[in-house]
Amino acid sequence: MKIINVVSGKGGTGKTIVAAVLGRALAREGLRVLLVDFDVFVRGLTVLLTESGQQALRNEGSTVTELLASDNNKLSREQISFARFYECDVLPAVTSVGAPYEFEEALKPLADTALRMRVINDLLRSFDYDVIFLDNRAGLDNVIVASSEVSDIVLSVAEDDIVSLQTNANLINHLRYIQKIRTVYTVINKARRIRSYEDLKGATSFRQTEFNYIGVIPFDSELMDDFGTARFWTTVYESLYFRAVIDAWNKLASLEQMKEIS
């Protein structure tokens, strides 16, 4: 099993869609995939899966919020039930995406390093999956550090503007040189001026050595227009965006000895 932690230096880079699209693509290849929404405040993955698709996620069963607060209850693998979204199992952040933020309650378990490590490492690694994607909040906090430390791979999603590239560099440099996490990669998302697959293959303007770069994904206006609608997933599979995501994954898979996507 591989645990892949999806992060970003700043918000709005599209990391949640990248994680969801990769999860479904791998599941369609026959792998057992679990998507986990580790952002208990913004809950982007939970919202995306709840609001888009004909098989919209129903937030029933266990949640990440419950797992992070489970130290006293000692939740076991047998006590955890998963939601289902198309081909993937899901651990949503919360039961209700519209519930008010309860910062004080949520921060208590997040501040406990031993608890975070137990939940993320011991519990998640007891699950029977080929790949687990953790969709984290943007930036850097204790949960991102803890989840990065116990993950096999950290995938940082950045845009190609100067602010996003710098915040991405700040994040991955901290993970690499302060936290000593070596398997950190970057994919460039929402790249402009790419209209064809030939343009995509020629997009080589990023410094691979600095970012451990695995690929570039173009901005797709039609995809953004259909975001949150029942047509969204159909649009994904018809797009250059999807082909670019697959190319990026296959580059990562070749480096980390994982299954490539056809």
Side-chain angles (χ1 to χ4, degrees):
M1 182 175 70
K2 295 286 189 182
I3 296 180
I4 301 176
N5 198 26
V6 185
V7 300
S8 63
K10 62 178 283 292
T13 63
K15 65 177 175 53
T16 295
I17 299 179
V18 170
V21 169
L22 275 177
R24 284 203 63 192
L26 287 166
R28 284 156 60 106
E29 295 279 319
L31 274 67
R32 296 160 299 174
V33 176
L34 174 65
L35 302 174
V36 184
D37 188 353
F38 255 54
D39 189 347
V40 298
F41 297 123
V42 176
R43 312 155 184 179
L45 181 65
T46 305
V47 174
L48 171 65
L49 302 189
T50 301
E51 300 297 332
S52 67
Q54 296 176 343
Q55 299 181 37
L57 178 73
R58 295 181 179 178
N59 296 355
E60 300 171 352
S62 304
T63 67
V64 170
T65 302
E66 293 171 345
L67 298 185
L68 290 174
S70 66
D71 193 40
N72 293 331
N73 298 324
K74 301 293 184 184
L75 281 180
S76 66
R77 173 181 172 180
E78 290 71 25
Q79 294 173 283
I80 297 171
S81 58
F82 300 101
R84 187 76 177 170
F85 184 77
Y86 288 96
E87 308 88 351
C88 304
D89 281 349
V90 181
L91 270 177
V94 291
T95 301
S96 173
V97 294
Y101 296 153
E102 297 183 15
F103 286 107
E104 294 302 322
E105 289 301 313
L107 288 174
K108 290 177 182 177
L110 300 186
D112 187 331
T113 301
L115 172 59
R116 291 194 311 271
M117 298 296 281
R118 184 188 70 81
V119 170
I120 298 169
N121 191 39
D122 298 346
L123 193 55
L124 290 185
R125 288 200 180 277
S126 72
F127 298 155
D128 188 19
Y129 292 96
D130 297 306
V131 183
I132 296 178
F133 286 98
L134 308 180
D135 184 42
N136 255 298
R137 64 184 299 189
L140 186 66
D141 61 17
N142 292 335
V143 175
I144 294 170
V145 170
S147 56
S148 295
E149 287 178 346
V150 302
S151 295
D152 300 293
I153 296 166
V154 178
L155 178 60
S156 182
V157 180
E159 296 178 70
D160 59 354
D161 63 88
I162 188 171
V163 174
S164 187
L165 292 175
Q166 185 60 60
T167 56
N168 178 70
N170 295 343
L171 172 62
I172 64 177
N173 285 338
H174 176 84
L175 295 176
R176 282 178 181 168
Y177 303 118
I178 305 301
Q179 303 300 327
K180 308 301 181 183
I181 299 167
R182 296 306 179 193
T183 51
V184 183
Y185 297 91
T186 292
V187 62
I188 302 298
N189 193 28
K190 297 185 181 179
R192 306 283 178 166
R193 298 177 295 281
I194 295 177
R195 299 291 181 267
S196 68
Y197 192 63
E198 288 69 29
D199 293 340
L200 179 66
K201 299 304 289 184
T204 58
S205 61
F206 304 104
R207 292 167 288 179
Q208 297 188 30
T209 54
E210 179 178 350
F211 291 137
N212 231 5
Y213 150 87
I214 59 167
V216 57
I217 302 169
F219 178 83
D220 191 308
S221 59
E222 185 178 359
L223 195 67
M224 295 301 103
D225 289 343
D226 288 344
F227 184 75
T229 71
R231 179 172 163 72
F232 175 74
W233 289 103
T234 301
T235 304
V236 166
Y237 294 126
E238 295 174 347
S239 66
L240 181 62
Y241 173 96
F242 182 68
R243 189 168 184 179
V245 170
I246 300 313
D247 280 359
W249 170 265
N250 287 343
K251 174 69 178 298
L252 178 63
S254 69
L255 293 170
E256 294 292 334
Q257 293 76 54
M258 296 184 294
K259 179 179 175 62
E260 295 189 11
I261 300 174
S262 60

